[in-house]
Amino acid sequence: MEINFKESLASLRTQTPLVHNITNYVVMNFTANALLALGASPVMAHALEEVEDMAALSSALVINIGTLSAQWVQGMELAMTRTLALQKPIILDPVGAGATPYRNLVLSQLLSNASPTIIRGNASEVQAIAGFSGHTKGVDSTVSSSESVDAAIALSKATGSVVSVSGATDVIVQGEQVVFVDNGVALMTRVTGMGCSASAIAGAFAAIHAEPFEAAVLAAVCMGVCGEIAYETAQLPGSFQIAFLDALSALTPAQFAEKARVRY
């Protein structure tokens, strides 16, 4: 597999895909800014009365279960059903999977409603959905991404989805195909919304790329490369968040290709 990083980033910025996010209160602003900085167009719409119409207008749907409520879950189900019917990509971020019975029930309902194109989460979340033993610490992972490869493969086979696992090394899986992305810095784990933004950016790349597996790799590399660039000038969480958005905006296609550290 050979991914054209330069062409993919240039294409995203030319097409400016509209990414529909039904996401959590905590990260809405940062996620929207990340999409804008990269060159995509965000919309945050969760009202039952409009989610189906928004799905028709958008190029991809991102579902994030970080802050759950009954009405939002209904909206997620409606949007997923409509997006599936329109054959557009669906990205599911299973925030906190395994933490509570209710959260697990919601995930079961969503997965039975429509198989996501990409499932993107941390190692504990992926293990929980796949039925492997493991524990979450709220919404944080208690295991490394390298420990989740078997769970990711099992989950990919069960759902037909590409599974992207974030960590010190990101792991992207489709069936038996596995790719490792070594980009990124540890400080990214200390800024709220980084993982949620990674899911939104996966939605942006999936919107313009015919291959979901490659779109997931592109998103993981993009996040990691921009984290590395941001860390060159900002080593504390507050300034790093701003520097990260600036890095997304300033990222050139050449940098994207040159700095990618991908193992096939």
Side-chain angles (χ1 to χ4, degrees):
M1 179 181 68
E2 186 173 337
I3 299 174
N4 191 324
F5 290 92
K6 290 183 181 180
E7 184 179 303
S8 296
L9 181 57
S11 180
L12 187 151
R13 287 173 172 165
T14 298
Q15 295 184 45
T16 61
L18 178 63
V19 181
H20 179 196
N21 298 265
I22 303 180
T23 189
N24 69 77
Y25 290 115
V26 181
V27 304
M28 280 189 188
N29 180 266
F30 184 59
T31 300
N33 279 324
L35 285 168
L36 284 170
L38 183 62
S41 180
V43 62
M44 275 59 183
H46 55 268
L48 294 177
E49 295 80 2
E50 70 170 351
V51 290
E52 291 176 292
D53 292 329
M54 198 62 75
L57 293 173
S58 305
S59 301
L61 171 67
V62 178
I63 298 292
N64 178 305
I65 69 162
T67 51
L68 287 172
S69 71
Q71 271 206 325
W72 278 35
V73 174
Q74 284 182 269
M76 291 173 181
E77 291 175 337
L78 288 172
M80 288 178 75
T81 298
R82 181 70 171 137
T83 302
L84 181 67
L86 293 168
Q87 298 183 317
K88 296 177 182 180
I90 301 170
I91 288 73
L92 174 65
D93 190 331
V95 179
T100 67
Y102 177 61
R103 199 162 288 260
N104 294 339
L105 175 62
V106 167
L107 281 169
S108 178
Q109 291 173 345
L110 294 178
L111 287 169
S112 64
N113 192 54
S115 290
T117 312
I118 299 171
I119 298 172
R120 200 225 60 82
N122 65 39
S124 289
E125 291 162 350
V126 168
Q127 286 193 338
I129 305 174
F132 283 54
S133 60
H135 303 282
T136 60
K137 181 184 177 184
V139 299
D140 297 325
S141 182
T142 59
V143 295
S144 70
S145 54
S146 60
E147 296 176 89
S148 68
V149 175
D150 289 343
I153 290 172
L155 181 59
S156 179
K157 289 181 176 179
T159 60
S161 308
V162 173
V163 178
S164 179
V165 190
S166 58
T169 293
D170 293 332
V171 180
I172 297 92
V173 171
Q174 185 174 41
E176 294 286 349
Q177 188 176 19
V178 182
V179 162
F180 300 93
V181 175
D182 293 319
N183 294 103
V185 293
L187 186 58
M188 296 173 77
T189 63
R190 297 183 60 199
V191 177
T192 297
M194 280 291 171
C196 303
S197 294
S199 296
I201 286 173
F205 277 111
I208 60 95
H209 206 292
E211 296 296 332
F213 185 72
E214 294 186 12
V217 175
L218 286 162
V221 171
C222 181
M223 289 293 298
V225 166
C226 289
E228 292 169 356
I229 293 171
Y231 192 73
E232 293 172 4
T233 58
Q235 287 85 47
L236 293 173
S239 56
F240 179 83
Q241 186 179 50
I242 302 303
F244 178 79
L245 292 175
D246 290 345
L248 281 172
S249 181
L251 183 67
T252 67
Q255 279 181 311
F256 194 25
E258 291 165 5
K259 291 181 176 290
R261 288 184 284 142
V262 179
R263 291 180 283 127
Y264 299 98

